């Protein structure tokens, strides 16, 4: 199972604005619930203050609150059928919300959703939305545990069942485990190993987790790779149009020397990215050449050199600590999707919401928990029936329909 978020910027580096993929997040993709609340609040303001002249039909609905809890409920039903009931799950139960709820009531399952969290978790509000929705809409209980606690509780396990507080876990949902800081001792590594080797549905499993690395993103951008998985030529063309120019810096990458030369000649056009998540890890501009020079081949191979984006800069107002201030901002759009599948079959693969965040233009980072960004909504309008315009705050970016 995966709750994924693909992030995009509109770059002004060429003759016309172009949509570019920043990265895809495959683990602990955050803030979908908070973004849905922001969208709901702005829709309410549009109704309350008609003088703003904002039409509701120009404000896309954010369905994260609807889609993600439903996907977890379907995954839990699937777990029960595969592990305990051992019969074929009907498509109607999986696809129809009313039948899904009826099946959950019939099963009276005692299994849990396990939230794998960091000690002293700060991003708890976004996570609690899912916890509350699962309980109130579907009667599904959840529990929160750190990797160390999971390792300690399950270290004497003699079967494939993962347990939390002595109860069976159906879904292990990672909101931690994406940074080396989450593995300070062997108990944490054991916790991850026990989850991966259990029969619980992992969100994500280790393979899906690693798909979000920068090296995989670099490999997918190579000629002929996307074509191995998508056979619609037009779809491939549209996907490839969002890819950034990227260079691998490993000793076996055939574009290594070209990338190093480009970074030294024009460092302001690139970002040096390690295989890390969580924000605050990238190297920008003038710092790139010296960083490359300071590393040996082994260390450098862990980095990818990516084209730097130059998004539209607009003027906006922030409220922080009760004070209003004005600043230039840049925006980034995240598109959520949810996936449930096995080695043989894809059960669910659908769009599940969006996230628009904006940062002060002078900052290179876009991490909300690091204090760099605020969340916004966007407007969609049609111009002459020919174009689709995305309005990021006061900016207007026209993309071909």
């Amino acid at each position: 199972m995966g709750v994924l978020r693909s992030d995009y910027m509109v770059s002004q580096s060429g003759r016309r604005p172009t949509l570019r993929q920043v990265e895809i997040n495959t683990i602990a993709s955050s803030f979908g619930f908070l973004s849905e609340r922001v969208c709901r609040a702005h829709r309410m303001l549009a109704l309350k203050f008609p003088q703003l002249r904002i039409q509701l039909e120009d404000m896309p609905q954010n369905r994260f609150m609807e889609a993600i809890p439903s996907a977890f409920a379907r995954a839990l039903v699937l777990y029960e059928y595969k592990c305990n009931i051992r019969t074929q799950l009907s498509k109607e139960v999986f696809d129809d919300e009313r039948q899904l709820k009826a099946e959950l009531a019939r099963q009276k399952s005692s299994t849990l959703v396990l939230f794998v969290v960091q000690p002293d978790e700060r991003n708890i509000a976004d996570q609690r939305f899912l916890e509350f929705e699962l309980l109130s809409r579907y009667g599904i209980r959840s529990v929160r545990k750190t990797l160390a606690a999971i390792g300690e509780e399950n270290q004497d396990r003699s079967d494939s069942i993962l347990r939390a507080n002595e109860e069976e876990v159906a879904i292990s949902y990672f909101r931690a485990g994406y940074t080396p800081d989450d593995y300070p001792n062997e108990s944490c590594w054991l916790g991850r190993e026990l989850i991966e080797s259990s029969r619980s549905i992992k969100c994500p499993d280790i393979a899906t987790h690693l798909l979000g690395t920068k090296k995989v993103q670099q490999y997918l951008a190579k000629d002929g790779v996307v074509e191995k998985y998508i056979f619609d030529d037009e779809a491939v063309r549209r996907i490839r149009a969002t890819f950034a120019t990227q260079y691998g810096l490993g000793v076996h990458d055939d574009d290594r020397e070209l990338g190093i030369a480009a970074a030294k000649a024009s460092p302001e056009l690139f970002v040096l990215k390690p295989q890390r998540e969580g924000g605050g890890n990238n190297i920008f501009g003038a710092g790139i050449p010296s960083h490359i020079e300071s590393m040996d081949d082994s260390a450098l191979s862990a980095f990818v050199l990516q084209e730097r984006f130059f998004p539209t800069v607009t003027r906006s107002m922030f409220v922080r600590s009760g004070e209003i201030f004005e600043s230039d901002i840049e925006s980034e759009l995240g598109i959520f999707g949810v996936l449930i599948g096995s080695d043989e079959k894809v059960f669910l693969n659908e769009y599940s919401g969006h996230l628009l965040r904006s940062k002060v233009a002078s900052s290179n980072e876009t991490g909300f928990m690091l204090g760099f960004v605020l969340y916004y909504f966007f407007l969609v309008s049609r111009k002459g029936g020919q174009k689709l315009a995305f309005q990021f705050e006061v900016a207007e970016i026209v993309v071909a329909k």
Side-chain angles (χ1 to χ4, degrees):
M1 182 177 182
V3 176
L4 316 175
R5 193 186 74 230
S6 187
D7 293 334
Y8 300 89
M9 279 186 167
V10 176
S11 181
Q12 298 279 359
S13 53
R15 290 186 175 182
R16 55 171 295 181
T18 54
L19 194 67
R20 286 284 188 264
Q21 184 186 52
V22 179
E23 62 181 358
I24 185 166
N25 300 273
T26 58
I27 183 171
S29 303
S30 301
F31 300 113
F33 289 101
L34 293 181
S35 178
E36 189 273 344
R37 292 292 169 169
V38 169
C39 291
R40 186 181 296 187
H42 284 142
R43 290 178 69 87
M44 183 274 293
L45 291 172
L47 287 171
K48 187 172 182 179
F49 299 103
Q51 61 266 37
L52 293 175
R53 298 181 180 179
I54 297 176
Q55 303 300 316
L56 290 184
E57 57 267 27
D58 292 337
M59 303 177 69
Q61 293 273 14
N62 193 337
R63 61 185 303 267
F64 196 91
M65 190 75 78
E66 168 195 345
I68 299 304
S70 177
F72 272 80
R74 283 182 271 185
L76 188 140
V77 167
L78 187 63
Y79 176 87
E80 290 292 337
Y81 267 84
K82 293 187 69 174
C83 297
N84 297 327
I85 300 176
R86 300 185 184 280
T87 60
Q88 189 69 30
L89 174 64
S90 72
K91 189 176 186 299
E92 289 74 20
V93 169
F94 198 81
D95 291 346
D96 184 86
E97 184 77 2
R98 290 174 59 186
Q99 292 196 46
L100 175 64
K101 289 183 177 180
E103 179 63 24
L104 286 166
R106 187 188 68 79
Q107 287 182 4
K108 297 181 179 178
S109 174
S110 61
T111 56
L112 303 172
V113 174
L114 169 65
F115 283 66
V116 183
V117 298
Q118 296 173 329
D120 304 317
E121 176 67 67
R122 293 189 302 151
N123 189 15
I124 192 170
D126 186 61
Q127 300 167 17
R128 290 292 192 189
F129 276 115
L130 176 57
E131 183 179 334
F132 297 157
E133 285 294 307
L134 288 175
L135 186 60
S136 62
R137 281 168 54 184
Y138 301 104
I140 297 173
R141 297 174 302 125
S142 58
V143 64
R144 302 167 61 83
K145 295 275 186 178
T146 64
L147 284 167
I150 295 163
E152 292 164 4
E153 184 171 346
N154 289 271
Q155 59 184 338
D156 297 324
R157 190 184 74 198
S158 58
D159 54 28
S160 62
I161 298 176
L162 186 71
R163 292 179 173 84
N165 301 336
E166 301 301 318
E167 297 188 80
E168 183 176 354
V169 172
I171 304 171
S172 299
Y173 178 38
F174 284 94
R175 295 302 298 256
Y178 54 85
T179 169
D181 295 339
D182 289 335
Y183 302 92
N185 53 54
E186 286 302 314
S187 292
C188 297
W189 286 110
L190 178 61
R192 182 66 186 261
E193 181 181 348
L194 289 168
I195 293 172
E196 293 296 334
S197 62
S198 76
R199 72 184 195 182
S200 71
I201 294 175
K202 273 71 73 175
C203 183
D205 65 357
I206 188 63
T208 305
H209 175 183
L210 295 177
L211 283 175
T213 61
K214 308 302 183 291
K215 290 299 291 184
V216 171
Q217 186 181 5
Q218 172 215 335
Y219 181 72
L220 285 172
K222 289 181 175 293
D223 291 340
V225 177
V226 173
E227 290 80 354
K228 293 180 180 179
Y229 307 101
I230 299 176
F231 307 109
D232 183 322
D233 291 342
E234 177 60 19
V236 169
R237 184 194 67 78
R238 293 171 63 191
I239 291 169
R240 284 199 167 280
T242 70
F243 287 172
T245 301
Q246 298 181 73
Y247 300 95
L249 301 179
V251 293
H252 300 296
D253 287 304
D254 53 15
D255 54 356
R256 165 191 165 97
E257 296 305 323
L258 183 62
I260 291 175
K264 290 181 177 179
S266 303
E268 72 281 0
L269 300 180
F270 296 97
V271 182
L272 190 63
K273 293 186 172 184
Q275 311 305 306
R276 295 285 299 277
E277 298 297 333
N281 302 301
N282 298 334
I283 310 298
F284 294 84
I288 294 177
S290 60
H291 207 81
I292 290 176
E293 292 291 342
S294 69
M295 291 186 286
D296 59 23
D297 287 344
S298 177
L300 189 58
S301 66
F303 285 77
V304 168
L305 186 70
Q306 186 182 81
E307 164 196 351
R308 185 171 184 174
F309 305 138
F310 297 92
T312 301
V313 175
T314 58
R315 201 72 179 163
S316 187
M317 302 183 75
F318 289 75
V319 179
R320 180 177 290 167
S321 300
E323 296 185 9
I324 300 175
F325 67 95
E326 198 172 352
S327 177
D328 289 336
I329 62 168
E330 299 171 346
S331 297
E332 182 174 321
L333 178 66
I335 301 297
F336 286 98
V338 61
L339 173 71
I340 302 174
S342 66
D343 291 340
E344 299 82 25
K345 183 177 180 181
V346 174
F347 297 96
L348 179 69
N349 182 11
E350 66 180 22
Y351 162 76
S352 56
H354 61 267
L355 162 70
L356 181 65
R357 52 187 170 175
S358 296
K359 67 179 181 67
V360 175
S362 59
S363 171
N364 287 323
E365 296 293 345
T366 58
F368 182 80
M369 294 306 293
L370 298 176
F372 293 118
V373 304
L374 295 177
Y375 291 142
Y376 285 77
F377 73 101
F378 65 90
L379 303 177
V380 176
S381 61
R382 298 192 179 276
K383 293 201 167 184
Q386 302 297 318
K387 300 289 184 180
L388 186 64
F390 293 87
Q391 297 178 329
F392 289 13
E393 292 83 47
V394 297
E396 183 172 278
I397 300 153
V398 179
V399 181
K401 181 179 177 181

